[in-house]
């Protein structure tokens, strides 16, 4: 019986090839989108789960709050003394391991010199906590001794080729050498951290590197990723609840008053390893994380597109019902029951769903490499080959076939054989209303996607074209090495002999980065200095930083080499003046001010500018000039070039860099490229929304094609009579089209408030954002209406131009 159902289903599919193709194509597109999004979701939710102990590993986080209790900074890192203290205070902790990122680091082997940005100092317990595949060396001993290093297989090949890397020496920062004691496999793509060079943590104990004393007492350097391994099924909240007492009893900040309670200004927290990628949005992370809300949005889009495809199938199946009316009537006269007819029609829809799924799987395998290249992802279709997902993929066509086919099956099995065989078959109003509701749903979803896509790109354009308060064009940024201090002035003067190079300046951070550094501040009040309760961000700069970025002064002056006292002077932005409660920028000049351990005067105020992305508000910033022996504050070198001869200027910079800094790799970025990277996530989101909107509209048009085909078939004799009575083709096209345009209008009325609410929530993540314009909704509705009109017109024009004799011959 079942074999017969599928045999008949195949014959019917072959008999009505065009409609079967549209059905098949629509479901294939919908299922392909679902599979692609499923692969993305599986990848995002699999982060760090490859670790055997993933459910037992927690990262320690640290936050800071001001005197009013408001949190001002949230970090995924903590200070180095916390590691040993936590181990001693909480005996239930089985293991602790720490990672210290070293930023861009020059690494040299013989004549090979590279900048490596994934070099970490890592302790020997990393192998007890994480799954690290060691291919050479002993993981129990490889990182025990200071000045030893382990490399990934790719890094080892990069430096040593086919030679055995074991026991070879590499040099970092042109300061000390390391012996290679092991090689390990790269951390998987679904890891939240990817060290490629792991230097023994014990190396930090050397005073020339960091110093054992600093490891025990430096609570200000919160750069250490610290992970705990807890016992099986251990309630991590028990430890987290004891953190305040741990801070107050076990932690002793150097120089703090005797009655000082650290828990009043800082807090520690625990973060489950598997939650880091999707649920952690701290101010400092190892790498850019994903977002659980994005997973939810794409899951919804996958279901919506599949729903649209199913609706499309329903409409097309009912549209061709009149073609099968006599077949159904003959089957019923021959003794077929309603349940047998339903089973027959469902078998057809399940068969189409199965064929669609096979085609969708093939399309997914072919498309994923292009998506990875376009979006910078590392998705693998093999994620679908896990047994639980294989079972799901096998069951999906069955459920899709049932959902898509149940209404057409019930609808067509209800035909009365007497009427169908006499040609008196007519479709009732309820079925027409249901199909219209389906089309309204399809176009409502499409309009929502059109609106969201337009607003995403509007916000992107706003961010890219907004006035930032500084000049980012033709700005070259290079890493700055403190070993260059002795050569810097000569290097600077040489560069400035080139007329194409306008200026260069040094700073601890550059615009487009995050402002994470801050120190305690105090302002004058009468004859004394009073503590500032608001957090003021810190930026170390030299005298040329402000002019290099063309940042405008609002009052006072910039730092100058003509004033030796400027190392005790401060420049601040307008936001700082406001939070300090000073009346104006001018009144701030000359005021006594203390920041960190430096007491001096305010010498200048710069106009506010967007240092960070537009996700963040402009925050108060204090600019300070380091003393000559503190030049290690500088991390970046900015070079402003005129746009006249860019390539020649870059060649000159490289030539002089290699002359003055031969042991440091030459590597630069343009600031506007880094600026664009700030909004890569939104750019990808906008591109994906565009793709999904086009797919949704395309499938919706197929559904509309089905409904218009159905409606025109039902009115074919009416069209013939109207033509005989003198109606023009244009009049008939308008008559057939206006009913469908009404559906688009209804869809728009429903879609507009949904789209407005969704984008209002999305824009809330930006401190600086556009206002949602009413015309976007009108344009979206007009686009949907135009597409609908063109779709309907294809069949309407054909019907209007047909010979009325043929349509009336059977009367």
């Amino acid at each position: 019986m079942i074999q017969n159902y599928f045999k008949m289903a195949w014959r019917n599919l072959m008999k009505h090839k065009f409609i079967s193709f549209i059905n098949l194509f629509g479901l294939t597109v919908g299922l392909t989108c679902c599979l692609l999004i499923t692969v993305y979701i599986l990848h995002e939710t699999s982060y760090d789960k490859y670790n055997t102990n993933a459910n037992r590993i927690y990262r320690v986080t640290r936050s800071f709050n001001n005197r009013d209790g408001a949190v001002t900074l949230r970090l995924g890192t903590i200070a180095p003394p916390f590691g040993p203290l936590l181990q001693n205070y909480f005996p239930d902790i089985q293991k602790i391991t720490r990672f210290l990122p070293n930023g861009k680091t020059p690494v040299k082997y013989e004549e090979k010199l590279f900048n490596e940005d994934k070099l970490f100092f890592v302790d020997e317990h990393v192998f007890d906590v994480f799954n690290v595949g060691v291919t050479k060396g002993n993981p129990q001993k490889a990182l025990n001794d200071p000045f030893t290093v382990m490399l990934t297989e790719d890094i080892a090949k990069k430096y040593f080729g086919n030679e055995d890397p074991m026991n070879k020496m590499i040099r970092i920062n042109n300061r000390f050498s390391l012996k290679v004691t092991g090689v390990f496999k790269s951390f998987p793509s679904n890891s939240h951290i990817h060290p490629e060079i792991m230097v023994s943590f014990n190396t930090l104990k050397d005073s020339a590197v960091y110093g054992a004393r600093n490891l025990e007492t430096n609570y200000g350097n919160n750069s250490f990723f610290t992970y705990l391994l807890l016992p099986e099924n251990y309630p991590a909240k028990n430890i987290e609840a004891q953190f305040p007492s741990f801070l107050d009893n076990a932690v002793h900040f150097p120089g703090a008053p005797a009655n000082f309670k650290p828990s009043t200004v800082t807090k520690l927290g625990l973060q489950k390893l598997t939650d880091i990628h999707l649920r952690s949005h701290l101010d400092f992370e190892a790498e850019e994380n994903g977002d659980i809300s994005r997973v939810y949005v794409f899951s919804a889009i996958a279901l919506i597109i599949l729903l649209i495809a199913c609706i499309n199938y329903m409409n097309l199946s009912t549209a061709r019902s009149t073609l099968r009316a006599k077949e159904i009537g003959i089957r019923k006269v021959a003794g077929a029951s309603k349940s047998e007819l339903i089973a027959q029609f469902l078998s057809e829809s399940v068969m189409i769903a199965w064929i669609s799924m096979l085609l969708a799987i093939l399309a997914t395998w072919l498309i994923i490499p292009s998506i990875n290249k376009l979006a910078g992802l590392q998705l693998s279709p093999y994620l679908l080959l896990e047994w639980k997902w294989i079972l799901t993929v096998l069951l999906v066509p069955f459920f899709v076939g049932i959902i898509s086919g149940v209404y057409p099956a019930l609808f067509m099995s209800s035909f009365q054989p007497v009427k169908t065989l006499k040609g008196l078959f007519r479709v009732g109003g309820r079925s027409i209303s249901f199909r219209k509701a389906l089309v309204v749903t399809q176009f409502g979803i499409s309009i929502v996607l059109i609106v969201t896509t337009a607003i995403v790109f509007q916000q992107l354009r706003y961010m890219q074209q907004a006035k930032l308060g500084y000049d980012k064009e033709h700005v070259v940024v290079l890493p700055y090495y403190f070993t260059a201090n002795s050569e810097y002035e000569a290097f600077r003067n040489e560069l400035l002999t080139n007329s194409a190079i306008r200026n260069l300046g040094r700073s601890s951070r550059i615009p487009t980065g995050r402002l994470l550094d801050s120190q305690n501040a105090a302002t004058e009040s009468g004859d004394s200095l009073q503590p500032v309760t608001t957090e003021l961000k810190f930026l170390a700069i030299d005298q040329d930083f402000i002019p290099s970025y063309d940042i405008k002064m609002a009052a006072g002056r910039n730092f100058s080499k003509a004033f030796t006292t400027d190392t005790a002077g401060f420049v601040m932005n307008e936001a700082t003046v406001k939070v300090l409660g000073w009346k104006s920028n001018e009144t701030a000049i000359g005021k006594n001010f203390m920041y960190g351990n430096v007491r001096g005067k305010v010498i200048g105020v710069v106009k506010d500018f967007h240092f960070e992305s537009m996700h963040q508000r402009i925050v108060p910033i204090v600019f300070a000039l380091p003393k000559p022996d503190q030049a290690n504050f500088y991390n970046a070198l900015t070079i402003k070039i005129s746009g006249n001869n860019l390539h020649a200027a870059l060649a000159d910079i490289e030539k002089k860099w290699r002359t003055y800094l031969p042991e440091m790799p030459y590597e630069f970025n343009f600031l506007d490229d880094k600026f664009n990277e700030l909004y890569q996530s939104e750019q990808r989101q906008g591109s994906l929304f565009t793709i999904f909107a086009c797919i949704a509209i395309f499938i919706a048009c197929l559904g509309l094609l089905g409904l218009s085909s159905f409606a025109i078939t039902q009115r074919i004799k009416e069209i013939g009579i109207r033509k005989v009575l003198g109606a023009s083709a244009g009049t008939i096209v308008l008559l057939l089209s206006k009913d469908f345009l009404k559906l688009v209008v209804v869809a728009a009325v429903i879609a507009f408030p949904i789209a407005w609410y969704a984008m209002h929530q999305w824009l809330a993540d930006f401190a600086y954002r556009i206002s949602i314009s009413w015309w976007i909704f009108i344009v979206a509705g007009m686009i949907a209406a135009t597409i609908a009109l063109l779709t309907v017109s294809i069949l309407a024009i054909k019907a209007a131009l047909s010979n009325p004799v043929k349509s009336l011959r059977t009367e």
Side-chain angles (χ1 to χ4, degrees), residues 428-494:
R430 288 185 179 178
S431 59
I432 292 174
S433 298
F434 181 70
R435 282 191 297 279
K436 286 181 178 179
L438 294 180
V439 172
V440 167
T441 303
Q442 285 182 312
F443 271 89
I445 293 168
S446 300
I447 290 169
V448 168
L449 288 173
I450 292 171
V451 172
T452 54
T453 301
I455 291 176
V456 166
F457 278 110
Q458 261 204 326
Q459 175 66 16
L460 279 171
R461 187 174 62 181
Y462 167 75
M463 293 185 296
Q464 290 166 346
Q465 296 180 354
K467 292 182 179 179
L468 301 174
Y470 65 90
D471 184 7
K472 64 180 176 65
E473 301 300 324
H474 306 122
V475 173
V476 176
V477 179
L478 300 98
Y480 183 81
Y481 306 103
F482 72 89
T483 51
N485 289 335
S486 60
E487 301 285 346
Y488 178 72
E489 285 302 323
F491 172 67
R492 175 182 178 276
N493 293 333
E494 274 286 319

Side-chain angles (χ1 to χ4, degrees), residues 156-175:
K157 190 170 185 65
K158 177 178 174 181
Y159 285 92
F160 308 112
N162 295 323
E163 297 178 26
D164 185 358
M166 296 297 287
N167 297 317
K168 284 190 165 54
M169 304 296 290
I170 61 174
R171 190 163 181 81
I172 68 173
N173 277 332
N174 196 31
R175 293 174 58 210

Side-chain angles (χ1 to χ4, degrees), residues 286-554:
E287 297 176 9
E288 181 183 357
N289 284 339
D291 192 339
I292 190 63
S293 62
R294 199 178 305 156
V295 170
Y296 293 148
V297 168
F298 286 143
S299 299
I301 288 174
L303 293 175
I304 286 168
I305 288 179
L306 186 57
L307 175 63
I308 290 176
C310 292
I311 290 172
N312 172 64
Y313 181 91
M314 293 179 194
N315 275 334
L316 287 172
S317 296
T318 51
R320 70 172 183 172
S321 60
T322 54
L323 302 175
R324 303 186 64 179
K326 289 185 179 180
E327 174 202 337
I328 295 165
I330 292 171
R331 284 178 175 276
K332 281 197 169 185
V333 169
S337 66
K338 185 173 182 178
S339 60
E340 288 174 331
L341 289 172
I342 290 173
Q344 173 64 49
F345 297 134
L346 287 179
S347 66
E348 291 181 20
S349 61
V350 169
M351 177 179 284
I352 287 180
W354 270 105
I355 297 172
S356 298
M357 178 57 85
L358 293 175
L359 293 173
I361 291 171
L362 177 62
T364 299
W365 242 262
L366 295 174
I367 293 171
I368 277 182
S370 299
I371 290 178
N372 286 338
K373 187 176 181 180
L374 179 69
L377 299 172
Q378 296 186 44
L379 304 181
S380 170
Y382 293 101
L383 288 169
L384 294 172
L385 296 183
E386 293 182 22
W387 66 268
K388 57 182 178 182
W389 298 114
I390 290 177
L391 184 62
T392 303
V393 169
L394 292 176
L395 289 175
V396 163
F398 177 77
F399 288 111
V400 168
I402 296 297
I403 293 169
S404 302
V406 67
Y407 172 70
L410 292 172
F411 172 67
M412 288 188 283
S413 65
S414 66
F415 293 172
Q416 296 180 19
V418 174
K419 291 184 177 180
T420 56
L421 293 175
K422 285 185 176 182
L424 302 174
F425 168 70
R426 292 289 183 274
V427 178
R430 288 185 179 178
S431 59
I432 292 174
S433 298
F434 181 70
R435 282 191 297 279
K436 286 181 178 179
L438 294 180
V439 172
V440 167
T441 303
Q442 285 182 312
F443 271 89
I445 293 168
S446 300
I447 290 169
V448 168
L449 288 173
I450 292 171
V451 172
T452 54
T453 301
I455 291 176
V456 166
F457 278 110
Q458 261 204 326
Q459 175 66 16
L460 279 171
R461 187 174 62 181
Y462 167 75
M463 293 185 296
Q464 290 166 346
Q465 296 180 354
K467 292 182 179 179
L468 301 174
Y470 65 90
D471 184 7
K472 64 180 176 65
E473 301 300 324
H474 306 122
V475 173
V476 176
V477 179
L478 300 98
Y480 183 81
Y481 306 103
F482 72 89
T483 51
N485 289 335
S486 60
E487 301 285 346
Y488 178 72
E489 285 302 323
F491 172 67
R492 175 182 178 276
N493 293 333
E494 274 286 319
L495 282 180
L496 290 176
T497 60
N498 187 329
S499 59
I501 297 174
R502 291 166 49 187
N503 216 326
L504 62 160
R506 297 169 291 176
S507 59
S508 55
R509 299 181 185 272
I510 59 168
T512 69
R514 292 300 309 274
L515 289 163
L516 301 179
D517 310 313
S518 64
Q519 299 182 37
N520 292 327
T523 60
E524 66 176 20
S525 178
D527 296 330
S528 61
L529 289 172
Q530 295 298 319
V532 175
T533 58
T534 305
E535 184 183 50
L536 308 179
K537 296 297 184 179
F538 168 68
L539 196 68
I541 64 173
D542 68 6
Q543 296 88 345
D544 298 309
F545 175 84
I546 290 174
S548 294
Y549 284 94
D550 197 21
I551 299 169
K552 306 300 182 185
M553 299 299 301

Side-chain angles (χ1 to χ4, degrees), residues 672-800:
D672 51 4
D673 289 337
K674 297 182 74 65
F675 176 81
N676 291 332
E677 289 174 7
L678 290 176
Y679 308 111
Q680 273 188 348
S681 176
E682 287 78 15
Q683 193 76 49
R684 290 174 189 159
Q685 194 169 339
S687 300
L688 288 171
F689 275 7
T690 302
I691 293 169
F692 291 137
C694 291
I695 291 171
I697 291 169
F698 174 75
I699 299 176
C701 286
L702 290 179
L704 189 60
L705 189 69
L707 188 59
S708 58
S709 171
F710 179 87
I712 291 170
T713 303
Q714 295 296 300
R715 301 176 69 175
I716 194 70
K717 290 183 176 62
E718 176 194 340
I719 294 169
I721 293 170
R722 286 181 180 274
K723 288 194 73 175
V724 168
L725 294 176
S728 66
T731 303
I732 292 172
V733 170
L734 180 62
L735 176 71
L736 295 173
S737 301
K738 66 180 183 180
D739 289 339
F740 297 105
L741 290 179
K742 290 177 183 177
L743 299 181
V744 176
V745 172
V746 174
V749 170
I750 296 171
F752 287 166
I754 296 172
W756 179 89
Y757 177 77
M759 296 318 294
H760 179 74
Q761 295 297 113
W762 181 76
L763 288 170
D765 288 337
F766 297 89
Y768 301 91
R769 52 187 178 267
I770 61 168
S771 298
I772 301 178
S773 304
W774 60 269
W775 60 265
I776 292 177
F777 298 93
I778 302 301
V779 170
M782 290 176 65
I783 291 172
T786 302
I787 293 170
L789 183 61
L790 291 172
T791 304
V792 174
S793 296
I794 293 171
L795 294 175
I797 293 171
K798 182 181 178 182

Side-chain angles (χ1 to χ4, degrees), residues 126-142:
V126 62
F127 306 103
D128 299 320
V129 178
F130 294 96
N131 285 26
V132 183
V134 177
T135 57
K136 287 182 180 290
N138 183 347
Q140 303 302 318
K141 298 179 180 179

